[in-house]
Amino acid sequence: MRDTQPTPLSRSELQARGLGSREIERALRDGLLVRLRRGWYGTPDLAPSLAHATRIGGRLSCISALESHGAWVIRSDLTHVRVGTGIAVPRRVDARLHWTHERARPGVDSPEVALAVAVQCVDRETLVAAVDSVLQRGILSAPEVDQILMSTPRGRAVRALVDGAAESGIESLVRLRLRAHRIRFRSQVTIAGVGRVDFLVGERLVVEVDGYAWHGDPNRFENDRRRDRQLLRRGYLVMRASYRQVIDDLDGLVEAILDVVRRREHRWRGVRRTELGTRRSLIDR
Ligand SMILES: [Zn+2]
């Protein structure tokens, strides 16, 4: 994926492709090229974050580079840019800068470099969710991630929280928050007759989260309702949260879970559990 994305091109690279000064000027006039910085150009399909990093004079790095390699990233409000010392950066810059002694030629940092930078930069939730997705999507292998994380104390703390089996970044965020509140749960639990659920809190509270911002799949909609009914029939409680609800109000979701836990309704004790099939003869009659 990473090799097919458009990259910034230097004047000499354009010349090597047979574009002289006159052709470059014409391409700029026709909108086929954009000037990003002195001696650096981009095609109109260049990713905005990479164009921004190049205008500043550095490389796309840290969490922004991981996102560009296909990782799921929760908060991408600022572009993270690695800049070589000695580069004249605009005084007011709308980006998070990482200074380096190396030459930071315009482009995108490798996932390895980007992750090593991110470990020292972003908050733990953002980092764990990104690393989960780096593993889940195969952007880096587990040994590659380990090598980077285990080399610093901050990285080692994050390594203990990472779970490459998480199916979405949203799931990672919920998992971390439940852990932080010391709520006992298991993720990706298979319940007989129902299938796999995202989280089982205690013994009977099922928490399901939408992994993606969009949810327009009618089959999924029907299936979710069928699952809810099957879970309720078996005595489980079901709590659902949309992608937006997790992003915007994770505290609200955790509070709701805690309310159930405080009433101890996440346990079977005291609940009359129905074994499906045992009363069927009565109902059928
Ligand atoms: Zn950063």
Side-chain angles (χ1 to χ4, degrees):
M1 182 194 294
R2 60 182 99 153
D3 296 328
T4 57
Q5 288 175 8
T7 55
L9 299 160
S10 69
R11 197 171 184 88
S12 54
E13 281 167 329
L14 289 174
Q15 280 163 347
R17 293 181 187 196
L19 273 79
S21 299
R22 196 176 294 171
E23 283 84 4
I24 292 177
E25 288 308 319
R26 192 180 307 144
L28 286 169
R29 249 196 335 268
D30 294 346
L32 300 172
L33 276 182
V34 208
R35 196 190 308 273
L36 300 169
R37 187 180 174 78
R38 203 171 136 200
W40 285 94
Y41 305 86
T43 46
D45 56 349
L46 186 68
S49 58
L50 183 49
H52 187 47
T54 308
R55 282 197 182 93
I56 288 167
R59 291 171 70 75
L60 197 64
S61 187
C62 193
I63 204 79
S64 304
L66 290 177
E67 189 172 31
S68 148
H69 287 299
W72 183 87
V73 169
I74 174 178
R75 299 175 199 98
S76 52
D77 43 349
L78 277 182
T79 304
H80 294 236
V81 183
R82 207 157 60 90
V83 189
T85 45
I87 289 285
V89 165
R91 191 174 294 172
R92 280 197 180 175
V93 60
D94 184 19
R96 173 82 164 81
L97 299 184
H98 295 279
W99 292 98
T100 169
H101 291 295
E102 296 164 27
R103 222 175 127 232
R105 184 186 159 84
V108 183
D109 270 342
S110 68
E112 290 91 337
V113 171
L115 177 57
V117 174
V119 169
Q120 304 303 329
C121 173
V122 296
D123 66 88
R124 195 173 283 187
E125 269 185 2
T126 305
L127 189 60
V128 173
V131 174
D132 278 0
S133 116
V134 160
L135 287 168
Q136 200 262 333
R137 297 179 183 180
I139 299 165
L140 290 174
S141 68
E144 287 169 328
V145 166
D146 276 350
Q147 200 179 359
I148 296 159
L149 294 185
M150 297 311 273
S151 63
T152 64
R154 241 189 105 119
R156 284 194 287 276
V158 163
R159 180 65 190 88
L161 300 171
V162 162
D163 179 1
E167 291 195 340
S168 71
I170 291 299
E171 205 183 294
S172 304
L173 294 180
V174 173
R175 187 187 78 235
L176 286 176
R177 202 58 75 86
L178 292 177
R179 269 197 184 206
H181 281 85
R182 298 180 189 284
I183 297 171
R184 291 185 67 171
F185 70 94
R186 286 181 295 147
S187 46
Q188 299 298 337
V189 178
T190 301
I191 294 178
V194 177
R196 213 157 50 145
V197 300
D198 291 335
F199 297 99
L200 182 62
V201 174
E203 295 156 347
R204 67 183 283 251
L205 173 59
V206 169
V207 180
E208 298 250 68
V209 292
D210 286 339
Y212 301 94
W214 38 268
H215 190 163
D217 182 354
N219 291 332
R220 168 92 192 268
F221 187 87
E222 293 294 330
N223 192 39
D224 283 351
R225 271 135 198 85
R226 195 174 305 125
R227 280 160 65 93
D228 286 357
R229 193 170 59 205
Q230 293 303 329
L231 285 164
L232 278 167
R233 285 184 75 190
R234 287 161 173 80
Y236 291 92
L237 298 173
V238 188
M239 200 180 287
R240 278 187 187 283
S242 71
Y243 182 94
R244 267 288 132 221
Q245 286 163 359
V246 174
I247 294 283
D248 295 340
D249 187 23
L250 186 48
D251 289 339
L253 173 64
V254 171
E255 265 312 307
I257 292 170
L258 280 170
D259 284 340
V260 176
V261 169
R262 286 188 196 110
R263 290 199 304 267
R264 310 193 72 69
E265 289 172 7
H266 64 313
R267 311 283 296 272
W268 284 122
R269 202 182 313 184
V271 177
R272 273 184 58 195
R273 194 176 172 185
T274 308
E275 292 300 334
L276 283 192
T278 53
R279 290 194 307 158
R280 185 159 293 157
S281 55
L282 281 173
I283 295 166
D284 290 346
R285 227 179 283 166

